[in-house]
Amino acid sequence: MSVNTIAGIFGCGLLSLAMAATGFRLERLSVRARIAAMLAAGLAVFVPIGELSVAGYVRGVTGDLSMTTLVLAGAACMAQLIGRALIGPRDRRALLWVVAAGAVFLYPFALGLTHFDPYALGFGSVGFVTTLLLLTLAAWYARLNLIVLVVIAAVPAYLGGAYESRNLWDYLIDPLVSVYALAWLLAGVSRRHLGSIKLAIGHSAGR
């Protein structure tokens, strides 16, 4: 089994663990029960069932996952173990806005709607790398540490060839986290819109 395959399976296994831990709400259990449940879930995810493990089957559907997905999945697992969130609302919101903007920039154009292909920038474009560096510096200055952490995780993984892909985009975002970011932001907009409507109705009723 190649290093690329191991890295990809590990990432998909981490995502599976995060989904299982969040779905079963492990934070309601004692610390020992949480640890035991995570160990059992880890065995269930990584031990082969037939030719592949659950993580392997997930990888067959999702492909290799970006560092953004892995950082969020790892934080979700830790949150369930220690009983509190590791990522603050401000950091999460900023990261998901950046992911959503990147997805809107990348995927529609990559489908061939225009002659411009932003995916090609990930093959070592100086402009793309410079933009990423400036974004990281701006995030560091604004103390948006989650964005900085994702870039710090993605760039060495890219340079070290953790995955078979040699495109930096694939280490930064993937369709799964892109859909999650867009859905999360749209849900937030909907909640604010409904809140405004309820507030307006309350004011009208109070007159």
Side-chain angles (χ1 to χ4, degrees), residues 22-202:
T22 304
F24 286 108
R25 301 289 299 275
L26 294 185
E27 79 276 4
R28 298 176 297 181
L29 305 176
S30 66
V31 175
R32 289 183 178 180
R34 293 176 208 166
I35 295 173
M38 289 294 286
L39 290 175
L43 288 174
V45 165
F46 288 108
V47 171
I49 302 173
E51 295 183 359
L52 294 173
S53 63
V54 170
Y57 286 111
V58 171
R59 184 176 182 240
V61 175
T62 65
D64 293 331
L65 300 172
S66 67
M67 294 301 114
T68 303
T69 298
L70 299 190
V71 167
L72 291 175
C77 287
M78 288 302 300
Q80 293 298 317
L81 277 176
I82 65 178
R84 62 181 179 85
L86 295 181
I87 300 174
R90 180 172 176 265
D91 264 323
R92 179 181 293 273
R93 183 167 56 250
L95 177 64
L96 294 182
W97 269 110
V98 171
V99 170
V104 170
F105 172 71
L106 174 63
Y107 293 117
F109 291 104
L111 292 175
L113 300 179
T114 69
H115 294 294
F116 173 63
D117 180 12
Y119 186 73
L121 299 176
F123 289 111
S125 166
V126 175
F128 181 53
V129 173
T130 302
T131 301
L132 183 62
L133 174 61
L134 293 175
L135 173 64
T136 307
L137 290 174
W140 174 78
Y141 181 78
R143 297 184 179 180
L144 297 171
N145 298 322
L146 187 59
I147 294 176
V148 177
L149 175 61
V150 165
V151 176
I152 289 176
V155 172
Y158 165 72
L159 294 176
Y163 296 151
E164 293 179 359
S165 173
R166 299 307 305 144
N167 192 296
L168 183 55
W169 277 114
D170 294 324
Y171 293 81
L172 292 170
I173 64 173
D174 57 65
L176 197 63
V177 77
S178 299
V179 170
Y180 172 72
L182 290 169
W184 189 87
L185 294 173
L186 288 175
V189 171
S190 298
R191 285 193 299 269
R192 288 192 293 272
H193 183 62
L194 288 174
S196 299
I197 292 175
K198 290 179 180 179
L199 184 61
I201 291 174

